[in-house]
């Protein structure tokens, strides 16, 4: 085939059109007065040519696709097929069987037409694969498979269509009816209901039951209460999709039952599992994640990872110290079973990380097990505390992470403090090489956490890791086995850092821990000196504060690189910006190499953890951070502002839904 049939027809039409135009121009020059007649003739010619092309294609279709020709291999091999078949010459439809004409074209003929006009969306390269290409044509779903034979001037392609409408309908119904598992847990059930009157408790529990029953009753699932404040539900995937689109508004409804009571709900959801048992395991793990992030939120786990909804409330403080005593006993047991203990915090360790690490080291000394703190002394924000401990004769307590690797064996215990994420620890090599791992942290749990630790002391309601370690110390050893003055001051400095001198995120147990440290000999005057800064750090902090700009009640400061010895000024500038009127949150972004480090703080009205998580970071509701790689400071500013916009929009949506719910109830007869 030397030429494309479609182009042959187009060239024939074009040549005739050119000849007619030339003839009309000649007549128009000779006799200008007959131009109306020429216009009528031109219109008649266009109509006639269109009819001619249509009749020509019809005749071609009957001749090529009809049954008049006998002993044709094409007829006997393709025409009788029950599937629609089309033969292409390049991008031109050359032939198709009767099934294609009836089922795909509705009985009309479109021979010698562009393939994209006849079969929209056809991708021959994808159709040549083993899976083929799925297309929606003629109110149905079809699977297209093609085979191409290259020629000298033109390629010939045969495309076969298999209808999968019923199969895809069954597939969609199968996916929509897959079971999902939900676990509901009332946050701090015992603490919330312990002091209530029976009538008040019954009223709130009835309200919780009613809200959950209305939520699950919209579909075909079921709900069961399995323990005090704990429910399970099994629903279909289509219903879980509706819950996700509404942002699990059941969280707002539970919170609105009685605003005077700190009532909230945590939800763990397992979706996309192969079996119902696997969905249950995923839901339990998701509930643990929701609880680890402070509760009052829904955590949805799928094979692709976690998705979080809600999380606007503070963590519920647990007044009981029973768990601290149990964790202390388990920690002592793990330490005594180890040959060595390596303690480490997060990268760019601060006073809370080093203070809590020194407290854990004291527990190891009480157990007579050799232990060291792995820290990069050239990359820490707690140099003042480390220097104070070294001056007190405890220089052997610290070791460089690389220097700790030779002493690690399978019996070595690694204790991680003040972080729960693998990517933030001081040394991943230490974490991977140690036989067992224990975690002590207060930050809200996020994606990328340390998996399968031997012991977890994770309390997001706590002010700091130093507070948790101080509680553990009270259940370890004899009366005289307590931290010395410098260690107690380090723990108190960690608490003061994360609470901003006991002004934020403090509870009863925070002050009890501070009182215990005061009894151990901590002096507030000396602790205050640990926060002293150099002139370089102070100037850097002042420059960052001066560069801040307001954006939707948030102070955003963006700067180039600061001196390495002044990195502590980043967090201090974020804290100082909160003292400015009408500043609900602060974000300080500083260039570090080819990336940007962001430190975020708030007074509780803004959940900076959610904002930083959208940028790939994490932290606590009032204190969070993120690291952006390969980005300029100004581009980082734009991303911070976008994250703030998204957070504000989600706040507006939540508040509008919460306000609409009471109005809906009031209108009921």
């Amino acid at each position: 085939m030397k030429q494309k049939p479609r182009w042959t027809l187009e060239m024939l039409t074009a040549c005739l059109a050119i000849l007619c135009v030339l003839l009309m121009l000649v007549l128009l020059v000779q006799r200008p007065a007959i131009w109306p007649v020429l216009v009528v003739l031109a219109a008649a010619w266009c109509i006639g040519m269109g009819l001619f092309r249509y009749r020509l294609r019809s005749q071609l279709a009957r001749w090529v696709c009809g049954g008049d020709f006998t002993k044709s291999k094409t007829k006997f091999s393709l025409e009788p097929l029950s599937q629609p078949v089309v033969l292409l010459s390049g991008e031109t439809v050359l032939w198709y069987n009767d099934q294609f004409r009836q089922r795909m074209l509705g009985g009309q003929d479109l021979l010698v037409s562009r393939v994209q006009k006849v079969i929209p969306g056809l991708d021959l390269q994808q159709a040549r694969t083993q899976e083929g290409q799925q297309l929606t044509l003629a109110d149905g779903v079809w699977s297209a498979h093609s085979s191409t034979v290259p020629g000298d001037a033109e390629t010939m392609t045969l495309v076969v269509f298999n209808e999968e409408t019923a199969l895809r309908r069954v597939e969609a119904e199968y996916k929509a009816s897959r079971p999902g598992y939900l676990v509901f847990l009332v946050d701090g059930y015992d603490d919330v209901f312990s002091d209530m009157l029976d009538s008040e408790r019954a009223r709130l529990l009835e309200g919780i039951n009613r809200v959950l029953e209305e939520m699950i009753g919209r579909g075909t699932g079921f709900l069961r209460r399995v323990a005090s404040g704990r429910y399970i539900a099994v629903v279909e995937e289509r219903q879980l999709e509706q819950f996700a689109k509404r942002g699990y508004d059941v969280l707002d409804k539970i919170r609105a039952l009685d605003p005077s009571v700190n009532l909230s709900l945590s939800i763990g959801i397992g979706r996309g599992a192969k079996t119902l048992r696997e969905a249950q395991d995923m839901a339990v793990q998701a509930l643990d994640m929701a609880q680890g992030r402070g509760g009052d939120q829904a955590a949805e786990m799928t094979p692709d990872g976690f998705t979080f909804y809600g999380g606007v409330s503070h963590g519920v403080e647990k007044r009981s110290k029973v768990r601290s005593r149990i964790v202390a006993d388990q920690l002592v047991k793990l330490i005594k079973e180890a040959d060595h203990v390596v303690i480490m915090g997060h990268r760019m360790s601060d006073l809370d990380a080093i203070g809590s690490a020194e407290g854990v080291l004291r527990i190891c000394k009480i157990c007579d097990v050799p232990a060291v703190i792995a820290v990069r002394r050239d990359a820490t924000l707690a140099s003042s505390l480390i220097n104070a401990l070294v001056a007190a004769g405890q220089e052997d307590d610290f070791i460089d992470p690389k220097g700790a690797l030779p002493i690690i064996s399978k019996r070595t215990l690694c204790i991680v403090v003040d972080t729960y994420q693998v990517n933030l620890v001081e040394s991943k090599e230490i974490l991977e090489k140690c036989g067992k791992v224990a975690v002590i942290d207060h930050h809200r749990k996020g994606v990328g956490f340390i998996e399968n630790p031997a012991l977890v002391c994770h309390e997001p309601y706590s002010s700091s890791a130093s507070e948790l370690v101080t509680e553990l110390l009270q259940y370890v050893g004899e009366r005289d086995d307590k931290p010395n003055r410098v260690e107690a001051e380090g723990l108190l400095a960690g608490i003061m850092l994360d609470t901003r001198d006991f002004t934020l995120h403090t509870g009863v147990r925070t002050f009890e821990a501070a009182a215990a440290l005061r009894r151990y000999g901590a002096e507030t005057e000396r602790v205050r000196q640990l926060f002293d800064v150099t002139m370089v750090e102070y100037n850097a902090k002042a420059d960052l504060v001066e560069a801040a700009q307001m954006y939707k009640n948030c102070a955003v400061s963006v700067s180039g690189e600061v001196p390495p010895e002044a990195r502590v000024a980043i967090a201090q500038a974020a804290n100082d910006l909160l003292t400015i009127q009408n500043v609900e949150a602060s974000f300080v972004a500083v260039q570090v190499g080819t990336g940007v480090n962001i430190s975020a703080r708030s007074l509780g009205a803004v959940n900076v953890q959610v904002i930083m998580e959208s940028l790939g970071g994490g932290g606590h509701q009032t204190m969070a951070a993120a690291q952006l790689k390969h980005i300029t400071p100004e581009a980082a500013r734009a991303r911070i502002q976008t994250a703030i916009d998204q957070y504000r929009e989600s706040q507006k949506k939540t508040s509008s839904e919460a306000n609409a719910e009471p109005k809906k109830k009031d209108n009921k007869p």
Side-chain angles (χ1 to χ4, degrees), residues 35 47 78 142 186 219 229 275 288 314 328 350 439 476 491 512 644 650 662:
W35 67 267
I47 295 172
L78 298 178
W142 301 81
V186 179
T275 63
D288 181 54
H314 292 279
D350 55 13
V439 178
V476 177
L491 288 165
E512 289 178 352
I644 294 173
S650 65

Side-chain angles (χ1 to χ4, degrees), residues 206-320:
E206 188 276 334
I208 294 173
N209 292 336
R210 184 183 67 256
V211 170
L212 294 182
E213 287 170 0
E214 290 177 354
M215 172 187 177
I216 304 301
R218 297 170 183 168
T220 59
F222 68 86
L223 174 74
R224 290 292 182 272
R225 185 171 68 89
V226 295
S228 297
R230 191 179 183 95
Y231 303 78
I232 64 170
V234 177
V235 300
E236 292 183 338
E237 175 65 24
R238 57 168 63 90
Q239 198 170 357
L240 286 176
E241 188 67 27
Q242 295 174 1
F243 295 158
K245 287 181 179 179
R246 291 195 297 267
Y248 286 91
D249 54 357
V250 66
L251 299 170
D252 303 321
K253 295 177 181 178
I254 293 294
R255 205 181 309 114
L257 287 175
D258 192 341
S260 64
V261 179
N262 193 10
L263 185 64
S264 62
L265 190 73
S266 294
I267 310 175
I269 305 103
R271 292 181 64 179
K274 296 180 180 178
T275 63
L276 190 57
R277 179 58 183 271
E278 184 181 345
Q280 181 193 23
D281 295 339
M282 293 168 66
V284 172
Q285 188 174 348
L287 179 65
D288 181 54
M289 177 70 80
Q291 287 278 288
R293 291 165 56 85
D296 188 29
Q297 58 190 282
E300 192 178 77
M301 184 178 181
T302 66
D304 298 328
F306 289 94
T307 305
F308 302 103
Y309 304 86
V312 299
S313 298
H314 292 279
V316 179
E317 181 183 4
K318 299 177 182 177
R319 293 192 287 267
S320 174

Side-chain angles (χ1 to χ4, degrees), residues 497-559:
L497 174 70
D498 281 8
T499 61
R500 271 167 249 165
D501 296 338
F502 298 97
T503 58
L504 289 176
H505 206 60
T506 56
V508 175
R509 292 169 64 169
T510 307
F511 291 99
E512 289 178 352
L517 294 172
R518 185 69 182 87
R519 289 194 297 271
Y520 297 155
E523 298 180 9
T524 54
E525 297 84 356
R526 293 178 178 272
V527 173
R528 188 70 261 172
Q529 293 176 3
L530 296 176
F531 291 88
D532 291 344
V533 297
T534 64
M535 185 59 71
V536 175
E537 294 170 342
Y538 191 88
N539 288 334
K541 180 180 69 173
D543 292 339
L544 291 173
V545 172
E546 184 181 7
Q549 298 178 4
M550 292 296 295
Y551 184 77
K552 295 186 178 180
N553 289 345
C554 297
V556 180
S557 176
V558 178
S559 170

Side-chain angles (χ1 to χ4, degrees), residues 562-581:
V562 300
E565 65 273 15
R567 294 278 173 83
V568 69
I570 302 173
Q572 293 176 346
N575 290 331
D576 286 358
L577 286 171
L578 292 177
T579 62
I580 301 174
Q581 288 184 355

